Amino acid sequence: MLGREMRKALRAYGEVLRLVKRLPKETRPYYAKYTRENFVNYRDVDPHDSKSLQELLTRAYTHSLWVLNKYSVDEAAADKLKQICCAI
């Protein structure tokens, strides 16, 4: 069974991929691959280290906002990701 933090990371990953679909069509493959690579790179983080996991989730949210702003996508599109990543 997946731990609470792992489920949270998987929900964040899915939400970031949904946000990628809001980007211009020609950029989607790049950002989908970038997202996957970044989540895979951190799969070995200790699931019991909540501080590190929270920092990674916050970084995922911050980077997603940057990309959305770069392509003039409304930040409100990331509200669900914010709830996942920044909830205390």
Side-chain angles (χ1 to χ4, degrees), residues 4 6 8 15-17 20 22-24 29 31-33 43 45 47 50-51 54-55 59 61-62 65 67-68 80 88:
R4 185 174 144 239
M6 181 60 84
K8 191 174 182 181
E15 190 57 33
V16 171
L17 289 178
V20 166
R22 294 175 171 264
L23 300 176
Y31 284 106
K33 183 178 179 185
R43 70 177 164 208
V45 171
S50 2
K51 183 179 179 190
Q54 190 56 52
E55 286 173 3
R59 191 179 322 159
Y61 173 70
T62 304
L65 284 182
V67 173
L68 292 174
K80 187 172 181 182
I88 298 174

Side-chain angles (χ1 to χ4, degrees), residues 30-88:
Y30 170 80
Y31 284 106
K33 183 178 179 185
Y34 178 84
T35 299
R36 177 169 166 51
E37 287 173 353
N38 275 280
F39 274 85
V40 167
N41 285 341
Y42 293 105
R43 70 177 164 208
D44 293 330
V45 171
D46 180 6
H48 302 291
D49 184 355
S50 2
K51 183 179 179 190
S52 291
L53 288 170
Q54 190 56 52
E55 286 173 3
L56 289 171
L57 289 170
T58 301
R59 191 179 322 159
Y61 173 70
T62 304
H63 286 209
S64 295
L65 284 182
W66 184 87
V67 173
L68 292 174
N69 285 324
K70 178 179 178 180
Y71 293 102
S72 302
V73 176
D74 185 9
E75 281 187 21
D79 284 349
K80 187 172 181 182
L81 182 62
K82 182 177 182 179
Q83 290 174 356
I84 296 167
C85 294
C86 302
I88 298 174

